[in-house]
Amino acid sequence: LCGTEMKVLEDQGRFPVIMGHEGAGIVESVGEGVSTLKAGDKVITLFLPQCGQCAACVNSEDNFCIQFKQSETSLMSDGTSRFTCKGKPVYHFANTSTFTEYTVLNEISVAKVDAAAPLEKVCLISCGFSTGYGAAINTAKVTPGSTCAVFGLGGVGLSVIMGCKAAGASRIIGVDINKDKFEKAKEVGATECISPQDFKKPIQEVLVDMTGAGVEFCFEVIGNPDMVAAAFASCHESHGVCVIVGLLKYGVQLNINGWLFFSGRTLKGSVYGGWKGR
């Protein structure tokens, strides 16, 4: 289970449920009316569907398909479950339920991939890699020569680092209290890594001191409201961009000094890295 799944279970979980929202597989069969996929196709699952018709799908800058918001994600879109155990229904998760050998998905929640793609690798494109990489490329629009900071060096945070590197950032600072993650972060592109526990002053002050005026692009990849505030305060006062990538628990309020917005900082959200999955 990833951190996002744990938070969803705590906030609005319905049981029993088959978890998993990241996966790849081969289409076993298709239902009536399915036109874009056929049996034998190699695909990835999409927790964020793409209907192709709603205002979000037709907007070039948007990817938050209305079908994701309107669907009861513990069930199929028609209000039923395709899973049973001993005659009783079992709930779906995130329109995907990938922790099973067979699952049933809507056509708009599946994307066909190249027949030569290795399933054990492309499964990461269905959430983790795409979410992080896209946050840098699509949401933040990291610029060449810029300075970036990434709070949280899990799989998604590492993918953010890859995105920053691909965009040409000259300095990428990884931030995590677990120093065991530093080596891998540097392997994929971090130029340096720091732990907030090694400093007596707040991490945002440390980053401002390190960079002279704050980082140009900052990413919170944990889902911790205190770290969101710290990441935002780490941004350059006039043109810094902070992107929230980690899922915050439902109903959590952010405590951010409103004065920080006065000079021009930007705080943005990102889901699935801004990609239209299909």
Side-chain angles (χ1 to χ4, degrees):
L1 299 180
C2 79
T4 297
E5 290 172 335
M6 296 299 289
K7 288 173 183 172
V8 171
L9 282 179
E10 291 171 8
D11 289 338
Q12 54 198 41
R14 298 177 69 179
F15 304 95
V17 59
I18 295 176
M19 298 297 294
H21 72 281
E22 189 176 52
I26 297 170
V27 176
E28 185 270 336
S29 60
V30 299
E32 185 179 349
V34 174
S35 60
T36 60
L37 298 160
K38 64 183 185 302
D41 282 347
K42 192 174 285 188
V43 297
I44 61 172
T45 63
L46 302 173
F47 73 92
L48 181 65
Q50 185 189 353
C51 73
Q53 300 174 335
C54 70
C57 284
V58 300
N59 187 319
S60 62
E61 297 297 315
D62 196 351
N63 72 326
F64 200 56
C65 178
I66 195 171
Q67 292 298 325
F68 178 76
K69 294 177 283 186
Q70 289 187 341
S71 65
E72 167 54 84
T73 55
S74 296
L75 299 167
M76 295 293 285
S77 57
D78 63 1
T80 65
S81 171
R82 296 297 193 276
F83 300 123
T84 60
C85 180
K86 298 179 180 178
K88 295 183 179 180
V90 176
Y91 289 112
H92 293 245
F93 179 79
N95 299 306
T96 52
S97 289
T98 56
F99 291 169
T100 173
E101 289 185 69
Y102 291 90
T103 189
V104 180
L105 303 98
N106 283 310
E107 184 176 13
I108 61 174
S109 295
V110 181
K112 185 177 178 180
V113 297
D114 193 290
L119 293 176
E120 73 278 6
K121 293 182 179 179
V122 295
C123 61
L124 299 175
I125 295 175
S126 71
C127 183
F129 174 73
S130 301
T131 294
Y133 191 85
I137 300 294
N138 298 327
T139 309
K141 294 180 171 58
V142 170
T143 54
S146 60
T147 298
C148 303
V150 181
F151 284 67
L153 302 178
V156 181
L158 296 179
S159 300
V160 173
I161 291 174
M162 293 181 202
C164 293
K165 181 180 179 180
S170 61
R171 193 175 182 186
I172 305 169
I173 306 168
V175 182
D176 203 298
I177 59 174
N178 184 352
K179 294 183 180 181
D180 291 340
K181 298 179 179 181
F182 290 0
E183 181 180 356
K184 179 64 70 174
K186 291 178 180 177
E187 282 181 23
V188 300
T191 55
E192 58 214 287
C193 295
I194 58 175
S195 169
Q197 295 178 338
D198 288 344
F199 303 92
K200 292 183 178 179
K201 56 186 174 183
I203 191 64
Q204 57 265 36
E205 294 181 18
V206 174
L207 286 167
V208 169
D209 288 345
M210 288 175 66
T211 57
V215 296
E216 289 158 289
F217 299 96
C218 200
F219 302 86
E220 201 280 354
V221 202
I222 305 165
N224 180 311
D226 292 334
M227 288 299 98
V228 170
F232 187 58
S234 302
C235 285
H236 191 285
E237 63 179 2
S238 64
H239 58 270
V241 176
C242 181
V243 179
I244 300 175
V245 185
L247 179 71
L248 293 160
K249 291 190 69 173
Y250 183 79
V252 164
Q253 301 296 307
L254 297 177
N255 184 13
I256 294 176
N257 184 342
W259 188 257
L260 294 176
F261 287 96
F262 182 66
S263 54
R265 290 178 180 87
T266 301
L267 181 62
K268 305 178 74 173
S270 180
V271 60
Y272 193 48
W275 303 106
K276 296 180 188 290
R278 301 204 81 203

